[in-house]
Amino acid sequence: MEPACRKDKQKQQTPTRGDRTKQKSAQQELKQRQRAEIYALNKVMTELEQQQFEAFCKQKQSQAE
């Protein structure tokens, strides 16, 4: 293979600065969305746990009476 062909292939494989910036930006947006989803899920699970705990307490209280 000629050296000129190798340089062309290297240039094609190397992402440009704009591509890297777009990729980094997209990755940051993905992380932010995942983080928001995790916080939302955590909130829902905490509320569910609280409801189950309150139901358990009521059940134990009614059994004691």
Side-chain angles (χ1 to χ4, degrees):
M1 212 180 227
E2 296 177 5
C5 292
R6 288 183 186 171
K7 287 182 181 179
D8 289 341
K9 284 188 179 185
Q10 287 176 353
K11 286 182 183 178
Q12 289 173 357
Q13 293 174 354
T14 306
T16 62
R17 181 176 285 175
D19 290 342
R20 281 188 236 139
T21 304
K22 287 179 185 178
Q23 188 178 15
K24 189 173 182 179
S25 175
Q27 215 166 19
Q28 285 177 339
E29 288 177 20
L30 176 64
K31 282 183 181 182
Q32 286 176 343
R33 192 181 85 234
Q34 286 176 336
R35 185 178 179 135
E37 289 174 1
I38 289 169
Y39 278 116
L41 180 60
N42 189 30
K43 182 179 178 182
V44 169
M45 293 302 291
T46 301
E47 290 170 357
L48 177 63
E49 185 180 7
Q50 184 65 31
Q51 290 173 358
Q52 290 176 340
F53 177 72
E54 289 171 1
F56 173 77
C57 289
K58 285 180 184 177
Q59 180 185 12
K60 285 294 182 181
Q61 189 177 18
S62 65
Q63 287 178 355
E65 293 175 354

